[in-house]
Amino acid sequence: MEYGRKNPFPATIKEAYCLARDNVKETNHYIVDIANSGLEYKPGDSLGLFPHNDPGLVDELLQKLSASGEEGVELKRKGEFTFREALMEHLTIHRANRKFLKPLIAKLPANDRKELERLLSDRTALDQYLNVRDYIDILGEYPTAKFTPQEFADSVGGITPRLYSIASAPGTHPDEVHLTVAVVRYNSFERDRAGLATGFLADRVTVDETHVPVFIQPTRGFVIPEDGSRDIIMVGPGTGIAPFRAFLEQREMDGGKGRNWLIFGEWFEKTTFFYEDEFRAW
Ligand SMILES: Cc1cc2nc3c(=O)[nH]c(=O)nc-3n(C[C@H](O)[C@H](O)[C@H](O)COP(=O)(O)OP(=O)(O)OC[C@H]3O[C@@H](n4cnc5c(N)ncnc54)[C@H](O)[C@@H]3O)c2cc1C
């Protein structure tokens, strides 16, 4: 079977460890097991992954919608699911989107519509409103609006895959894809929130157990020069270092005579110098 974006491989994470953590930032290294997948990659490619939602958030949302989760819903181009399955694996629920506001407005009495209608005509205010809210927040602000599971499923967006630059060369780490991931965390309306994919990887994936649907997203032009005698200059601050770890591993394997310059920047040398031992040893 050939795996790809439309048919992702159910990989597992074989190792996960923290590269750096302080009170503002958390960056992790993940080793994704792609053995027996037939997936192939080269330095410069990215790994796409489809994250799942937080079951706690799904439960809260079901409660807000007065739904059990057992209801059936149909998702365009995907098929039929229970509402809980749709919320867990297919619909974006950790952040609200613009599409939701029109059906919401239609369910409100005239007096309650004004503020949302104003937002729809002011892009900046709308972005500010949506950036800090999810559907639990919005439904809490408009408790008279009632959505059936199907109406809700039709009114929110689907989960789109997240891409991560591959931080390993395939010859150095056969059957593995390494990732360098900065976890998105913030607090809004007194609830702690996390990015969908980075929160999934950091908080909900159990090593060797949880299936993470993945595919390879090949690069178009971000490649190592074929001529190994050419010098290369790489500039990769923060997690931007990821593809260059792959480049350097590949250059070492290829044994070319070209020089490698890596320019890396992060906040603190002591705590956020990712892969310090490896880079100093090179
Ligand atoms: C080609 C490519 C390669 C990439 N490689 C890497 C990589 O190697 N490593 C890596 O870590 N990332 C990488 N990324 C980024 C990655 O794809 C994700 O976008 C990122 O990890 C966030 O995903 P998420 O699902 O966790 O966050 P999402 O759920 O998508 O949420 C992110 C959003 O949260 C919001 N947000 C963040 N902080 C706050 C706040 N304080 N208040 C309110 N809202 C906030 C912002 O609007 C932000 O856009 C890459 C992206 C691309 C396109």
Side-chain angles (χ1 to χ4, degrees), residues 94-95 131 162-165 180-182 184 186 195-198 239:
H94 72 304
R95 297 169 63 77
N131 267 346
R162 293 343 190 228
L163 295 179
Y164 293 93
S165 300
T180 314
V181 177
V184 174
Y186 56 98
L196 177 55
T198 56
T239 57

Side-chain angles (χ1 to χ4, degrees), residues 36-66:
N36 305 316
S37 66
L39 293 179
E40 289 180 2
Y41 68 92
K42 62 186 176 306
D45 289 349
S46 299
L47 186 80
L49 68 86
F50 286 92
H52 295 171
N53 280 306
D54 177 353
L57 191 68
V58 169
D59 283 340
E60 266 186 79
L61 186 56
L62 285 170
Q63 212 181 345
K64 256 294 175 260
L65 292 163
S66 306

Side-chain angles (χ1 to χ4, degrees), residues 74-273:
E74 195 177 334
L75 303 181
K76 259 183 219 158
R77 290 188 291 275
K78 286 191 184 291
E80 291 181 7
F81 301 90
T82 66
F83 191 32
R84 182 183 293 278
E85 277 171 341
L87 294 177
M88 275 301 300
E89 296 180 20
H90 300 288
L91 300 173
T92 292
I93 59 167
H94 72 304
R95 297 169 63 77
N97 78 358
R98 184 190 166 89
K99 185 181 162 192
F100 185 69
L101 295 191
K102 276 202 176 147
L104 172 64
I105 288 170
K107 289 179 180 292
L108 296 175
N111 268 355
D112 287 351
R113 294 180 174 185
K114 288 191 191 115
E115 179 58 17
L116 291 175
E117 280 168 346
R118 187 190 64 77
L119 284 177
L120 280 179
S121 60
D122 179 345
R123 189 72 214 209
T124 310
L126 178 64
D127 286 345
Q128 280 169 358
Y129 179 84
L130 294 174
N131 267 346
V132 290
R133 286 171 173 80
D134 62 13
Y135 299 110
I136 294 170
D137 300 315
I138 296 179
L139 291 168
E141 286 168 11
Y142 297 97
T144 58
K146 303 287 177 213
F147 283 77
T148 65
Q150 187 63 56
E151 283 173 339
F152 184 82
D154 291 340
S155 306
V156 306
I159 289 181
T160 50
R162 293 343 190 228
L163 295 179
Y164 293 93
S165 300
I166 295 178
S168 51
T172 314
H173 306 279
D175 293 335
E176 295 178 354
V177 166
H178 292 214
L179 305 177
T180 314
V181 177
V183 185
V184 174
R185 292 195 195 279
Y186 56 98
N187 184 290
S188 144
F189 294 109
E190 295 177 6
R191 283 169 50 215
D192 287 331
R193 319 207 179 201
L196 177 55
T198 56
F200 171 61
L201 288 169
D203 303 333
R204 300 191 289 284
V205 163
T206 304
V207 166
D208 287 335
E209 206 177 292
T210 311
H211 282 143
V212 182
V214 302
F215 62 94
I216 301 295
Q217 177 74 46
T219 175
R220 292 214 180 105
F222 183 44
V223 290
I224 303 174
E226 277 178 27
D227 177 358
S229 68
R230 282 179 64 181
D231 298 341
I232 57 173
I233 300 174
M234 297 162 280
V235 183
T239 57
I241 200 171
F244 300 130
R245 181 176 183 260
F247 277 30
L248 286 167
E249 287 183 347
Q250 188 66 48
R251 294 270 282 188
E252 186 171 54
M253 276 195 70
D254 295 345
K257 293 281 170 275
R259 289 172 299 172
N260 303 295
W261 293 78
L262 174 65
I263 298 167
F264 169 69
E266 248 297 344
W267 288 11
F268 307 107
E269 184 178 356
K270 251 194 164 164
T271 51
T272 53
F273 189 167

